[in-house]
Amino acid sequence: MNIIFIAPPAAGKGTQSEMLCNKYNMKHISTGDLIRETINNDSPLSEQLKDIMNQGKLVSDEFILELIKNNLKDGDYIFDGFPRNVKQAKMFDELLKTLNKKVDYVIYLKVPKDLATKRILGRLSCPNCGHVYNDQIDELMPKQVGICDTCNVELTRRNDDNIETFNKRFDTYIKETEPLLDYYQDKLYEVDSSKDKQEIFEEIEGIINDYN
Ligand code: AMP
């Protein structure tokens, strides 16, 4: 089973991906995480990638497809943040065909912009386990301010989680990513992502539970 999440920034795709992976033993590919990894590894492309991210724009489709090809192995996958436009979706379809795989579910996490803004500005994550917290939303706060509940290390804030970049990322999402809702209309399921994470998770489980 392969699942794609389509969602504006801070709709909770990372959190839901983590919950699904834990329960259903699926693998998780976040192109955003892979790009951040490339940047942190001081690749010759680091500066260019950092600039693109900070401007809230999309990295080149060819680069993203290479990341996917290099990380896709056997098994069931959740694609978080990919595809981000129709060109990537078409390239992905071609790739999946050669691997005898397909996209089974496309989950659209819908969230109003004002709530997404609040989530972005409070978002913190653990550099060790990747768990996402939020210091503005009660149910997502760490037990100890700024510290991961599990790893006991200091939580970090993403460089692109500021209001200017968020606004640009949101505009990019509307222009480039929302057309995917049409592209995937035959396997698309809409979930109200303004609810709490457990309710959202149960709704997603309801969608995928009739998979066979
Ligand atoms: P995310 O972690 O999904 O919020 O992505 C952070 C940033 O990485 C985005 O704002 C883009 O600059 C870049 N990015 C992530 N995934 C993609 C993708 N599939 N295509 C192009 N750029 C991407």
Side-chain angles (χ1 to χ4, degrees):
M1 172 168 61
N2 293 305
I3 300 175
I4 287 175
F5 276 120
I6 297 180
K13 50 189 165 58
T15 301
Q16 293 301 323
S17 299
E18 187 185 333
M19 291 167 87
L20 283 171
C21 284
N22 289 342
K23 180 146 180 192
Y24 294 93
N25 200 21
M26 298 179 76
K27 295 175 186 165
H28 177 206
I29 290 189
S30 154
T31 41
D33 284 350
L34 291 172
I35 297 167
R36 281 182 285 277
E37 231 170 75
T38 311
I39 292 175
N40 291 338
N41 287 341
D42 274 337
S43 120
L45 292 173
S46 289
E47 285 309 310
Q48 204 186 333
L49 291 171
K50 232 190 275 178
D51 279 352
I52 296 171
M53 266 191 164
N54 288 335
Q55 289 168 41
K57 294 183 181 163
L58 296 185
V59 170
S60 90
D61 300 325
E62 288 69 23
F63 180 81
I64 293 290
L65 256 293
E66 275 308 301
L67 284 181
I68 295 288
K69 274 186 202 158
N70 294 339
N71 286 278
L72 197 56
K73 310 268 174 331
D74 283 341
D76 297 329
Y77 275 91
I78 297 168
F79 297 92
D80 159 2
F82 171 85
R84 251 346 202 256
N85 59 27
V86 172
K87 185 172 169 207
Q88 289 181 14
K90 289 183 175 166
M91 291 165 92
F92 189 40
D93 278 345
E94 290 302 312
L95 173 67
L96 290 177
K97 230 186 274 168
T98 65
L99 300 171
N100 235 341
K101 287 173 173 278
K102 66 180 173 61
V103 174
D104 297 291
Y105 296 98
V106 177
I107 310 238
Y108 168 38
L109 297 178
K110 193 175 181 186
V111 70
K113 189 177 177 189
D114 56 345
L115 179 57
T117 311
K118 187 174 161 190
R119 286 183 178 165
I120 277 282
L121 298 181
R123 179 156 74 176
L124 292 164
S125 54
C126 174
N128 191 35
C129 69
H131 188 80
V132 176
Y133 297 87
N134 197 298
D135 62 12
Q136 311 217 355
I137 299 172
D138 285 348
E139 57 145 358
L140 299 176
M141 280 186 194
K143 292 194 181 96
Q144 211 185 324
V145 177
I147 304 289
C148 177
D149 294 351
T150 315
C151 310
N152 211 28
V153 300
E154 204 165 324
L155 300 173
T156 54
R157 213 175 278 281
R158 277 170 48 170
N159 279 341
D160 56 349
D161 279 353
N162 59 70
I163 191 68
E164 294 78 23
T165 309
F166 169 73
N167 281 328
K168 290 182 196 144
R169 284 159 70 197
F170 205 92
D171 289 348
T172 302
Y173 165 77
I174 300 284
K175 199 165 136 243
E176 306 256 359
T177 309
E178 268 200 353
L180 285 174
L181 300 179
D182 253 357
Y183 184 83
Y184 286 122
Q185 55 180 293
D186 58 332
K187 46 188 91 170
L188 188 75
Y189 296 82
E190 182 176 318
V191 173
D192 175 2
S193 197
S194 57
K195 297 179 183 167
D196 77 52
K197 65 176 186 182
Q198 193 55 41
E199 273 181 281
I200 300 169
F201 184 60
E202 283 163 18
E203 203 169 321
I204 295 173
E205 284 194 291
I207 294 166
I208 64 174
N209 268 347
D210 57 351
Y211 182 80
N212 51 46

